[in-house]
Amino acid sequence: MTELTSFIAGLPKAELHVHHVGSASPRIVAELAARHEGASPVPADPAALADYFAFRDFAHFVDVYLTVVDLIRDDEDVRVLTFEVARELARQQVRYAELTITPYSSVKRGIPAKAFCEAIEDARRSAATEFGIELRWCFDIPGEAGLPAAEETLRVALEERPEGLISFGLGGPEIGVPRPQFKPYFDQARAAGLRSAPHAGETTGPQTIWDAIRDLGAERIGHGISAAQDPELMAYLAEHRIPLEVCPTSNVRTRAVAAIEEHPLARLVAAGVPVSINSDDPPMFGTTLEEEYAVAARLLDLDARGVAGLARAAVEQSFLPTAGKTALLAEIDAYTAGA
Ligand SMILES: O=c1[nH]cnc2c1ncn2[C@@H]1O[C@H](CO)[C@@H](O)[C@H]1O
């Protein structure tokens, strides 16, 4: 292990863009597949699973993602998945994570919204006690399911309102799923005090990001990497401090970017755009948050202090209250000083 990877391993972190089901490790997927008879295309064997998580393009990724969603069949599956995702985040010294959760996809598969929310909250409380990690939820609309999914996601968010719910998002494919149609739902979510953090500019151009800002009131953008094609947009993001939740390896594995050397992260940072580094769906993309920090360090030519700056940025861009930010920033600074 190099000195920098060792530094990264111990560095206290925050993660802002990581998906619930997308974080199901091969072990969790194997356990879930074994718990439920009946044919599932998802291999239980970890080696075969690695091949299964090879994607032709983003649409193929969503199709595969939804076969893993099919493995989540009851609230105990939800609780186990959430707790084990927290364990893996805590192992990487993540002290705070905003986990993107898609209630619609599970409610549609027969898990009652109330039981779903109780399961994630039970796991959140247990993870705080056992792992010392603070989890918060971003409920996202699966874009491929359109306005019915928006309606149901908002209903669950406002009627169940689990204690950890902090933000409202929009995921899934962007092609053929324009952002403006979701404005009424984001208006209601924001009016209810939820923060706005939709995906945009992952598989489509800068206009999707402009729409997310102007129509959905985006305070942060999931991915947003196509902003690099629009200097005016990058200047706007820099001036208005609208951060991008960048997930470098995800963009390569879903073919949004042809190769990691072509990733626009350095251009975005050079233009002053605030960014955080995230893993998105780590087991599906064969990565971890630690590895994403190492990738970012290579792309941005960072030393340990520079990498600590990435961790500080994620905390500053989080939806944590000020006291929480101050405490975690102090922990990062103390670790960096002692390294
Ligand atoms: O990188 C990503 N971009 C967009 N959506 C994603 C990504 N990773 C996971 N999902 C999930 O795919 C679901 C499809 O139903 C979306 O809800 C979103 O949470």
Side-chain angles (χ1 to χ4, degrees), residues 96 166 195 315-316 318-330:
Y96 173 81
I166 197 167
R195 314 296 290 273
V315 176
E316 287 160 351
S318 76
F319 296 137
L320 261 174
T322 304
K325 288 186 180 181
T326 303
L328 188 41
L329 290 171

Side-chain angles (χ1 to χ4, degrees), residues 109-160:
R109 284 167 174 76
I111 301 179
K114 185 173 179 54
F116 182 92
C117 291
E118 286 171 353
I120 61 175
E121 282 298 308
D122 180 78
R124 185 174 70 84
R125 288 188 294 271
S126 302
T129 305
E130 296 204 32
F131 305 138
I133 183 170
E134 279 301 324
L135 293 181
R136 295 296 181 274
W137 317 125
C138 173
F139 277 5
D140 92 325
I141 301 164
E144 75 279 6
L147 297 185
E151 195 79 39
E152 180 64 8
T153 305
L154 183 66
R155 185 194 69 77
V156 177
L158 300 190
E159 290 181 15
E160 298 302 332

Side-chain angles (χ1 to χ4, degrees), residues 179-180 200-201 205-218 221 226-227 230-237 240 242:
R179 304 300 84 179
Q207 186 56 49
T208 309
I209 300 169
W210 283 117
D211 292 344
I213 294 166
R214 291 168 174 160
D215 292 298
L216 308 185
I221 299 284
S226 66
D230 181 345
E232 184 193 346
L233 175 54
M234 287 198 285
Y236 186 91
L237 295 169
H240 295 272
I242 300 175

Side-chain angles (χ1 to χ4, degrees), residues 16-250:
L16 308 182
H17 191 115
V18 56
H19 291 265
H20 187 219
V21 171
S23 297
S25 68
R27 178 176 60 78
I28 298 173
V29 169
E31 279 180 23
L32 290 170
R35 278 166 60 96
H36 302 295
E37 325 61 66
S40 164
V42 184
D45 167 51
L49 192 61
D51 293 338
Y52 184 68
F53 288 157
F55 312 109
R56 294 187 301 276
D57 54 25
F58 189 82
H60 178 219
F61 160 71
V62 172
D63 291 343
V64 169
Y65 187 93
L66 293 175
T67 64
V68 180
V69 173
D70 287 337
L71 293 177
I72 314 295
R73 302 200 188 149
D74 61 31
D75 55 338
E76 179 58 11
D77 292 338
V78 173
R79 194 192 62 75
V80 167
L81 168 63
T82 311
F83 187 70
E84 292 305 319
V85 168
R87 185 196 305 273
E88 174 55 14
L89 286 166
R91 183 191 65 77
Q92 300 177 78
Q93 306 309 319
V94 175
R95 302 282 191 271
Y96 173 81
E98 296 175 8
L99 198 55
T100 295
I101 292 188
T102 315
Y104 173 80
S105 301
S106 289
V107 170
K108 193 178 75 169
R109 284 167 174 76
I111 301 179
K114 185 173 179 54
F116 182 92
C117 291
E118 286 171 353
I120 61 175
E121 282 298 308
D122 180 78
R124 185 174 70 84
R125 288 188 294 271
S126 302
T129 305
E130 296 204 32
F131 305 138
I133 183 170
E134 279 301 324
L135 293 181
R136 295 296 181 274
W137 317 125
C138 173
F139 277 5
D140 92 325
I141 301 164
E144 75 279 6
L147 297 185
E151 195 79 39
E152 180 64 8
T153 305
L154 183 66
R155 185 194 69 77
V156 177
L158 300 190
E159 290 181 15
E160 298 302 332
R161 197 72 187 247
E163 192 181 335
L165 181 61
I166 197 167
S167 57
F168 198 71
L170 168 61
E174 296 170 10
I175 296 171
V177 188
R179 304 300 84 179
Q181 62 184 321
F182 298 104
K183 179 176 187 326
Y185 306 95
F186 275 79
D187 286 350
Q188 292 177 71
R190 294 168 62 220
L194 294 179
R195 314 296 290 273
S196 171
H199 288 59
E202 175 184 20
T203 56
T204 55
Q207 186 56 49
T208 309
I209 300 169
W210 283 117
D211 292 344
I213 294 166
R214 291 168 174 160
D215 292 298
L216 308 185
E219 298 170 72
R220 287 198 326 241
I221 299 284
H223 295 283
I225 58 172
S226 66
Q229 301 165 19
D230 181 345
E232 184 193 346
L233 175 54
M234 287 198 285
Y236 186 91
L237 295 169
E239 182 190 350
H240 295 272
R241 310 309 296 159
I242 300 175
L244 305 182
E245 303 155 358
V246 179
C247 313
T249 300
S250 163

Side-chain angles (χ1 to χ4, degrees), residues 22 26 50 53 55 249-250 253 279 281-288 291-292:
F53 288 157
F55 312 109
T249 300
S250 163
R253 295 295 307 278
S279 65
D281 305 279
M284 292 188 173
F285 301 140
T287 190
T288 62
E291 176 56 26
E292 292 310 296

